Amino acid sequence: MTDTTNHTDDSKDQIAESIDYEVTFDDDPDTAIPAEHTEITEISETPDMSDNDTSAQAASRLDHEMEAEKRDVRESVFKSYPLYSFQNVTLVERKSGTAVLDGVNFECQAGRAYAILVPDDNPLMHTMLLSVMCGITLPSSGHVLSKSTSFAEMAPAEIRGYRLGLVMPQFPIRADLTAEQNLLYAMDASNRNFLNTKSVIARDLLKKVGFGTSDSAVTSNGTKAGKLPPLEMMRVSVARAISRDPEIVIADEPCATLSGEDSDTMIKLLKAQTHGHNKSRAVIVVTEDPQVARKVGNVIKL
Amino acid sequence: MFVLRNSWAALGRHKVRAVLMCLVALLVTVGSIYGCTVIHQKDYAEHQSYDALTPAAVIRPTAATLKDRSASDSAWTKHYLSWEDYNKIYQATASKDSQIGYTIAESVPVRQSDSVKAITTADADTNENKTGGNLTLQSFYTDQAMDANEYGTIKVVEGKDLNFESNEETSVLVSRELANKNGLKVGSEITLGNPQKASETFKVKVSGIYEYTDAAPTGFGADAKAAKDNRDNVLYCTYFTFATNGLDTTDGKGWGIPDLNIVFTTPNPAGYDTFVKELRKAKVVPDGYLISSPTIIKYEKSIAPLVASSRNMLIMLVLVWSIGGLLLLIMVLMGSCPRRDEIGNALLLGVTKARLGWQFMLEVFYPLLIGWGLGLIIGGTTAHSACSALASYSMRTNGAVMWKVVWIGLGFTLLMAIIAMLRVAFFNTNELFVSPFERDPLEHEHRHEFTAESEH
């Protein structure tokens, strides 16, 4: 079932082994595995000790134990707590008994962008996958985990309030609010405290995602979001998704309404969100378009 | 705070609708208070107040009998009921109901003199030899008999009312019109002539001047066929004054025969009904006579505007509740149904349906409760005067009506809020992820049926 291609190093092999679905890694330095993760495989050698030097032996043993301890901690963190993972997730339609999702496994690490490529002839799978990924629907069996915590143990306000940032084509933003109001609404909905004034954060985020750069006519607090051009609308949607500083950003078909150039801009924008102000995020793009998946990289085929 | 802030912001985005909702709620509340106050007052008047009456019962000639009456022919006096007739009537009922009492009203025509001249009209017969006199002396034995006065209800505007306890002086009440015509004042002495013998006169003192508080019955006002029947020519006195001057006679002739009216007193309306039933059963009331209760007739007349107004108020209430309710329902639906975009976005941002539902409910609560509260204050403070003016009837302030409106208002507001909240409750969360670029894959009968999963 596992088919890993384009491997670039051993550490990638290790990661790929834990994924049951096809995963393709890219060599983009922005999305490559962080050095601290790759280090884990280098601390696997047995220490070299001299039989005649007991003090040296003791020191060496202590060093060895300490190194081993560090390694265990790092490995356990790396292996047990991916930022976001599916563990044998199955979703069965009750009447027909059909498995819409059947034993799906994948893991997503911080600081990387992933593309989940869903078949274009199975819209039900696409829809229900997103529903399960966002914690709206709980799986029939298996777990959706954020680090080590299952979504089943979390409140919706926690999952979608600040763990996940969502960019969905059905409800990208509220059309009746301005761009800034959309961000303020999202921040208020999280019930969290912010270190700076929310409106300052909102304006800053809109600036960071390049809002208004492609069309000077639109303003963050004057134009209703429903009247924004598609790319500007998606910029606001991305800004809204990261406004609560989530660890995971999930975007569904982010390029569906965009032209080729805008599509590239959008993918770059999403991939840029893997490294936030003070944290690394996992950005997951769900798409039926292989070209979009390829541009995002780290493709997980379902 | 999120819920409070967003519900208030949502109202701010639709100010006109919010103000309209507030206004409709206010009008419906005020209308409900007015309508319920009048209807409640009418029910009270028709039941509690009516049951508290102590009806007087009289036996009077029917309209058909009165049609043959001639004010200038003393032969009509044969139609007067005698003491014997009344004795039979009383015997028929007193044995069945010990609470039946009686009192007396008696009258004769009296002749005018230089000291007092009757009010006359061109059509009225003023020949005292034919009519027995141009004035009428009407006596009462008690207050209750006076209450059953067939000429109407009087109010003493000058001097003293009749004193039924005193046997010291003979005095009368004269009408304002008669007093003005003759220059009479309280304390004036007037001379009246016996209806049977013009030469026999007697003097009485004017103890008070009265005015009628109701309209004249047909044939007893300016349309009277004889001056003595014009109620402004009626002098009221106590039975003592009447008898002292020899008018309560059993051997009188012609117009000298007193028109005796025994006024029966019953303890309550049910007692009156039983009284009527017993008399009909005993068949002691002569043909051409009718049993009636001036008390009940007067009372029903007094509440007639209230009854008519309550009918109008009932129609008004139906219209106010149906139109107002419909308008509010439409505005609540307009405020909740087209918000798919907002609900979807909120759910994606981790807002639960419960929080969002509460927000939608608050958006209904604010305008409706403000309108309803203002309506209660305005309606509660103005109901007494407004309803009294609308129904031409003095209203009682009623706490039960206010409480009824309070509970109905709260119940309706809650219902509207629940309807708004249902928009959120019925939002299908699976729609959140249905791609807008292709056909809805969940559009089939198994829409929600996935094993073990639940909405989260």
Side-chain angles (χ1 to χ4, degrees):
Chain A
M1 198 167 176
T2 304
D3 180 17
T4 309
T5 56
N6 293 342
H7 298 180
T8 54
D9 57 41
D10 292 344
S11 63
K12 288 183 179 177
D13 277 337
Q14 272 196 331
I15 299 163
E17 278 170 11
S18 66
I19 301 169
D20 284 356
Y21 285 84
E22 182 182 65
V23 178
T24 307
F25 292 100
D26 66 357
D27 292 318
D28 187 338
D30 287 339
T31 59
I33 300 170
E36 63 186 69
H37 293 168
T38 55
E39 278 175 14
I40 294 169
T41 53
E42 294 166 6
I43 315 164
S44 56
E45 295 168 10
T46 307
D48 189 18
M49 292 184 294
S50 169
D51 292 336
N52 301 325
D53 191 345
T54 51
S55 59
Q57 273 184 345
S60 177
R61 185 178 296 277
L62 280 172
D63 285 345
H64 170 70
E65 284 174 0
M66 286 171 70
E67 283 300 322
E69 201 170 288
K70 282 183 189 173
R71 182 192 61 206
D72 288 346
V73 169
R74 283 197 295 255
E75 283 189 349
S76 65
V77 169
F78 183 80
K79 286 186 174 173
S80 303
Y81 304 121
L83 207 50
Y84 182 79
S85 63
F86 264 40
Q87 286 188 355
N88 279 319
V89 170
T90 299
L91 185 68
V92 179
E93 195 181 11
R94 187 174 294 158
K95 278 200 174 174
S96 65
T98 311
V100 180
L101 300 173
D102 188 9
V104 179
N105 288 286
F106 64 80
E107 292 177 352
C108 300
Q109 307 296 342
R112 298 186 62 175
Y114 297 84
I116 297 181
L117 186 62
V118 292
D120 58 3
D121 59 350
N122 195 347
L124 180 61
M125 175 193 269
H126 190 155
T127 301
M128 293 318 297
L129 171 72
L130 283 166
S131 188
V132 173
M133 283 179 77
C134 299
I136 293 283
T137 301
L138 293 179
S140 308
S141 65
H143 296 283
V144 180
L145 300 173
S146 171
K147 293 185 179 167
S148 62
T149 313
S150 169
F151 274 9
E153 298 163 17
M154 287 190 234
E158 185 182 349
I159 299 170
R160 293 181 295 282
Y162 55 88
R163 292 232 183 202
L164 301 182
L166 304 177
V167 181
M168 295 293 143
Q170 270 281 37
F171 304 100
I173 40 175
R174 275 184 63 175
D176 59 330
L177 302 181
T178 63
E180 189 178 321
Q181 285 170 338
N182 262 287
L183 268 66
L184 292 174
Y185 181 77
M187 285 188 271
D188 284 340
S190 71
N191 273 354
R192 303 189 85 189
N193 294 319
F194 293 83
L195 293 175
N196 206 343
T197 313
K198 286 175 191 167
S199 54
V200 172
I201 297 172
R203 283 195 289 271
D204 189 39
L205 283 173
L206 286 169
K207 198 175 170 185
K208 278 182 181 168
V209 297
F211 177 78
T213 51
S214 58
D215 188 346
S216 57
V218 299
T219 56
S220 63
N221 57 4
T223 313
K224 296 285 182 198
K227 292 183 178 172
L228 293 172
L231 181 60
E232 294 301 314
M233 199 180 279
M234 291 309 288
R235 284 187 201 275
V236 178
S237 188
V238 172
R240 188 184 76 169
I242 59 170
S243 63
R244 285 90 60 83
D245 204 14
E247 291 174 324
I248 304 141
V249 173
I250 298 175
D252 178 36
E253 299 291 8
C255 306
T257 55
L258 304 177
S259 62
E261 194 179 331
D262 288 349
S263 179
D264 290 342
T265 307
M266 183 64 194
I267 289 170
K268 277 180 189 167
L269 180 62
L270 280 170
K271 289 173 84 170
Q273 304 316 316
T274 52
H275 293 94
H277 174 60
N278 54 5
K279 70 162 68 165
S280 294
R281 298 191 185 95
V283 174
I284 305 166
V285 174
V286 180
T287 181
E288 293 175 9
D289 186 344
Q291 281 193 329
V292 170
R294 189 165 41 76
K295 286 176 188 171
V296 175
N298 298 331
V299 179
I300 300 169
K301 267 190 181 176
L302 293 187
Chain B
M1 279 303 288
F2 171 80
V3 169
L4 289 174
R5 189 185 294 122
N6 280 288
S7 54
W8 192 250
L11 286 179
R13 282 192 289 275
H14 302 282
K15 289 186 190 75
V16 174
R17 188 167 62 217
V19 170
L20 264 178
M21 284 174 78
C22 186
L23 199 63
V24 172
L26 187 149
L27 291 175
V28 170
T29 307
V30 172
S32 300
I33 291 174
Y34 286 4
C36 290
T37 299
V38 173
I39 289 170
H40 183 273
Q41 187 66 51
K42 176 243 176 190
D43 288 343
Y44 187 85
E46 284 186 339
H47 296 99
Q48 285 97 324
S49 293
Y50 178 79
D51 291 343
L53 292 175
T54 52
V58 295
I59 296 158
R60 299 264 164 89
T62 60
T65 306
L66 285 172
K67 207 175 175 183
D68 300 330
R69 178 177 181 264
S70 170
S72 54
D73 184 1
S74 62
W76 168 255
T77 55
K78 71 180 180 191
H79 291 287
Y80 291 173
L81 292 179
S82 64
W83 279 104
E84 288 74 24
D85 294 328
Y86 278 115
N87 200 33
K88 280 184 208 168
I89 290 167
Y90 182 70
Q91 290 302 325
T93 57
S95 58
K96 301 277 171 54
D97 188 349
S98 60
Q99 293 188 73
I100 298 294
Y102 69 91
T103 184
I104 301 162
E106 221 171 1
S107 68
V108 287
V110 287
R111 294 172 192 264
Q112 61 187 21
S113 66
D114 290 341
S115 60
V116 57
K117 297 282 185 192
I119 298 165
T120 56
T121 57
D123 298 333
D125 194 340
T126 55
N127 187 340
E128 293 193 309
N129 290 326
K130 286 183 180 177
T131 61
N134 285 339
L135 300 167
T136 293
L137 188 64
Q138 173 71 56
S139 70
F140 303 110
Y141 192 66
T142 60
D143 277 330
Q144 282 178 307
M146 199 171 179
D147 288 343
N149 181 19
E150 64 183 320
Y151 294 108
T153 305
I154 62 166
K155 180 179 75 176
V156 175
V157 291
E158 272 184 47
K160 292 186 293 185
D161 206 342
L162 297 178
N163 183 355
F164 297 103
E165 306 297 323
S166 172
N167 291 337
E168 289 176 2
E169 61 176 336
T170 57
S171 58
V172 293
L173 299 175
V174 297
S175 69
R176 165 69 71 198
E177 286 73 13
L178 195 64
N180 288 346
K181 180 176 179 181
N182 294 284
L184 300 177
K185 292 178 181 170
V186 174
S188 299
E189 196 173 67
I190 56 174
T191 302
L192 301 171
N194 190 290
Q196 201 175 337
K197 291 178 189 170
S199 57
E200 281 186 20
T201 59
F202 56 94
K203 288 185 188 317
V204 290
K205 196 185 274 185
V206 175
S207 66
I209 294 170
Y210 71 84
E211 286 177 358
Y212 288 98
T213 58
D214 51 9
T218 309
F220 292 107
D223 60 342
K225 287 178 182 171
K228 65 175 180 181
D229 288 340
N230 184 337
R231 67 178 187 167
D232 286 331
N233 289 325
V234 177
L235 311 171
Y236 293 107
C237 65
T238 62
Y239 182 75
F240 171 75
T241 301
F242 191 83
T244 302
N245 290 296
L247 298 171
D248 181 28
T249 175
T250 53
D251 57 357
K253 294 211 170 27
W255 289 116
I257 298 170
D259 184 3
L260 177 64
N261 277 298
I262 299 288
V263 178
F264 295 95
T265 55
T266 58
N268 48 47
Y272 169 74
D273 291 342
T274 310
F275 172 77
V276 173
K277 208 168 144 188
E278 290 299 330
L279 287 189
R280 282 182 185 153
K281 199 172 159 189
K283 294 182 179 171
V284 289
V285 177
D287 290 341
Y289 284 81
L290 185 74
I291 311 159
S292 63
S293 171
T295 315
I296 293 175
I297 292 170
K298 195 161 79 177
Y299 182 74
E300 285 177 343
K301 208 171 170 183
S302 74
I303 66 167
L306 178 66
V307 174
S309 184
S310 79
R311 276 197 292 270
N312 294 335
M313 283 294 177
L314 189 63
I315 295 168
M316 186 272 286
L317 272 185
V318 171
L319 289 175
V320 161
W321 285 346
S322 53
I323 295 173
L326 189 66
L327 280 175
L328 287 173
L329 179 65
I330 289 170
M331 284 189 275
V332 165
L333 292 175
M334 281 171 66
S336 56
C337 287
R339 292 168 72 177
R340 179 177 176 274
D341 185 50
E342 182 181 344
I343 298 169
N345 274 287
L347 293 176
L348 284 180
L349 293 169
V351 182
T352 59
K353 278 188 173 182
R355 282 173 79 197
L356 205 55
W358 179 231
Q359 179 195 317
F360 275 48
M361 289 179 86
L362 282 179
E363 288 171 27
V364 174
F365 280 146
Y366 292 142
L368 290 196
L369 289 181
I370 289 171
W372 169 79
L374 287 174
L376 280 179
I377 294 168
I378 294 169
T381 50
T382 59
H384 178 75
S385 51
C387 293
S388 297
L390 282 171
S392 308
Y393 188 89
S394 180
M395 297 283 169
R396 293 171 349 115
T397 308
N398 192 279
V401 169
M402 290 301 290
W403 278 113
K404 191 184 284 183
V405 176
V406 165
W407 293 123
I408 291 174
L410 275 180
F412 181 79
T413 304
L414 187 63
L415 177 69
M416 289 294 111
I418 289 171
I419 288 171
M421 180 269 288
L422 287 177
R423 174 65 184 95
V424 179
F426 285 125
F427 182 87
N428 185 359
T429 45
N430 286 326
E431 284 182 38
L432 292 172
F433 307 105
V434 172
S435 170
F437 314 116
E438 54 191 65
R439 198 175 66 81
D440 180 1
L442 295 165
E443 202 172 51
H444 60 79
E445 58 179 342
H446 303 142
R447 201 170 178 116
H448 296 292
E449 298 186 0
F450 289 91
T451 57
E453 89 288 5
S454 60
E455 277 184 10
H456 198 224

